[in-house]
Amino acid sequence: SSASQARSRGCCPTCRPVSGPSALEVMMLGRLAAASRLAASRAMARPPAMPLAGAVRGAAHVSAPKPLSIRMDSLFVKCVIAALIYFVPQDAVFMTGLFWY
């Protein structure tokens, strides 16, 4: 009888009985499922914001950000130099073996 009471309460105060999901868990899962269905239906019903083909007149054309100058003591330059020092000898050995064979 005490064993069946321990099983219904759980083995310790932090454990729950292994019965099933609580009403709160079921409600939250239902709300998540309904929200995802609603978002999917809204996304399918909405037309695209921009036309898929052709250019829009008056829009600015940005190809890429182009820096006007690069400081030679910047982290970018130091990383490029380190990468060249590390990878070029490996590539040289590999390409020599590739062409030699």
Side-chain angles (χ1 to χ4, degrees):
S1 118
S2 69
S4 64
Q5 286 177 347
R7 264 186 262 129
S8 66
R9 286 187 315 224
C11 63
C12 62
T14 58
C15 292
R16 291 189 306 163
V18 186
S19 59
S22 68
L24 179 65
E25 292 170 337
V26 171
M27 180 185 68
M28 291 305 292
L29 285 174
R31 285 186 179 187
L32 284 171
S36 66
R37 281 194 307 267
L38 180 66
S41 66
R42 283 185 182 172
M44 294 299 289
R46 185 178 341 144
M50 293 184 62
L52 298 176
V56 178
R57 292 186 180 264
H61 174 70
V62 178
S63 60
K66 296 178 184 174
L68 299 176
S69 65
I70 296 178
R71 292 178 49 168
M72 293 307 289
D73 62 343
S74 68
L75 180 62
F76 172 75
V77 172
K78 298 297 180 185
C79 288
V80 168
I81 292 170
L84 289 173
I85 290 172
Y86 185 79
F87 287 111
V88 167
Q90 295 178 20
D91 293 343
V93 168
F94 176 75
M95 295 303 281
T96 303
L98 196 68
F99 286 126
W100 194 2
Y101 181 70

